[in-house]
Amino acid sequence: MSKPVKVIAVTSGKGGVGKTNVSVNLACQLARKGQRVLLMDADLGLANVDIMLGLRPKWNLAHVLDGQCGIDDILIKGPNGIDIIPAASGIKKMADLGADQNVAIVNAMSALSADYDTMIVDTAAGIADSVVTFSAASHYVLVVVTDDLTSMADAYALIKVMHRDAGIRHFKILRNMVETREQAVDGFKRLQEVAQRFLDVNLEYTGFIPRDPLLIKADHAQKAVSELYPGANASLAFRTLAETVEKWPLPVGAKGGVEFFVDRVVSANSAMGAAV
């Protein structure tokens, strides 16, 4: 049996908060530390990992779902040697997949030939079924939140839905695009206070990524800031985040390889169906 892989869902209550940037740069920094990293673009109909990195994949998850190719055929290499599973962009049917089709995609992942240390799942933003399903199938859920009031409100709504529909109780909170650590912690405490008052969940502060003009320059160049400007404040913060993530333990009894993720997706869909 292949060794267990740590699966982390990176998600957010709304778009525009830097979620995909977090996914990409966390993957890069983990790879720089010697890990084998798989990054899945799980925004199935509005893919942006490949766009952010200036990549042009020939195949994507839509082709796997249509039976045109296998999962290994669509893998592309990203910065620092990370493997990327690209999704489709601008294909409505991919954005509207049902539970069975989500399971079919993830089942295809069990055919991956490589072993990985960490798998990062860059979900869509919001409360779509796929977001809840993929998050419930992961070891850890990392919620990206800015200081924008709608980001805070939508993060709370996302946590509420995940708890209600999938029974998720533990969330890691990453504060993004903030000026100082004090600002980051203050915003986290406000979200934590509301969640503890109304929900039976546990929120854990995971750190922050500072607002950094070099990150914006890297975006315009379609590069990861960790690759293009390794000494930038944002890059150093992503490195600290990677060091934190490395310390997160695998749950006892975790299965080997991505079979864990496949099994959990099936279980999550069954549980959500029973709750309806």
Side-chain angles (χ1 to χ4, degrees):
M1 179 188 293
S2 55
K3 65 181 181 180
V5 56
K6 185 184 297 180
V7 184
I8 302 165
V10 180
T11 190
S12 64
K14 68 183 292 288
V17 301
K19 170 184 58 61
T20 299
N21 234 316
V22 169
S23 298
V24 167
N25 282 284
L26 174 58
C28 289
Q29 292 291 357
L30 288 170
R32 286 169 68 95
K33 294 169 70 63
Q35 289 203 21
R36 295 202 63 182
V37 181
L38 176 65
L39 173 58
M40 176 186 179
D41 191 338
D43 193 345
L44 301 177
L46 294 170
N48 51 14
V49 168
D50 55 332
I51 296 171
M52 179 171 288
L53 293 174
L55 303 172
R56 292 175 173 79
K58 178 181 179 181
W59 307 98
N60 58 54
L61 283 171
H63 298 105
V64 175
L65 193 61
D66 289 341
Q68 298 180 47
C69 60
I71 195 75
D72 273 332
D73 298 320
I74 71 171
L75 286 178
I76 54 176
K77 284 291 181 185
N80 302 115
I82 63 175
D83 282 345
I84 298 170
I85 298 177
S89 183
I91 299 181
K92 188 175 187 302
K93 71 172 185 178
M94 291 298 291
D96 297 332
L97 293 183
D100 290 345
Q101 292 166 307
N102 284 328
V103 171
I105 284 180
V106 180
N107 271 330
M109 294 171 59
S110 62
L112 283 168
S113 58
D115 286 336
Y116 297 97
D117 300 299
T118 302
M119 174 180 173
I120 297 173
V121 182
D122 182 45
T123 77
I127 56 175
D129 285 348
S130 67
V131 177
V132 180
T133 297
F134 291 145
S135 297
S138 302
H139 291 114
Y140 296 100
V141 180
L142 180 65
V143 182
V144 181
V145 188
T146 69
D147 246 10
D148 184 85
L149 289 178
T150 57
S151 173
M152 299 284 280
D154 289 347
Y156 173 80
L158 174 68
I159 291 167
K160 180 179 178 179
V161 168
M162 286 190 178
H163 176 56
R164 182 193 66 201
D165 294 353
I168 303 173
R169 293 191 62 248
H170 300 280
F171 298 87
K172 308 283 190 179
I173 307 298
L174 179 70
R175 301 278 282 118
N176 195 27
M177 294 188 281
V178 294
E179 303 295 342
T180 64
R181 182 183 183 279
E182 290 71 24
Q183 181 185 359
V185 172
D186 178 68
F188 165 75
K189 287 181 177 178
R190 283 185 279 126
L191 180 61
Q192 183 187 46
E193 181 180 347
V194 176
Q196 288 182 338
R197 184 183 306 171
F198 298 106
L199 304 174
D200 182 24
V201 297
N202 175 259
L203 306 188
E204 180 182 333
Y205 176 75
T206 305
F208 76 100
I209 309 300
R211 195 180 300 275
D212 189 340
L214 289 181
L215 192 149
I216 297 173
K217 289 185 67 174
D219 283 349
H220 290 164
Q222 291 184 288
K223 298 285 186 181
V225 67
S226 296
E227 176 191 29
L228 192 59
Y229 302 112
N233 288 335
S235 298
L236 298 177
F238 282 121
R239 186 173 70 184
T240 299
L241 175 63
E243 291 169 352
T244 299
V245 167
E246 275 194 314
K247 297 174 184 175
W248 295 350
L250 279 168
V252 176
K255 293 186 177 181
V258 297
E259 288 85 355
F260 160 84
F261 188 66
V262 173
D263 289 347
R264 289 278 292 247
V265 166
V266 175
S267 298
N269 271 294
S270 299
M272 288 172 63
V276 173

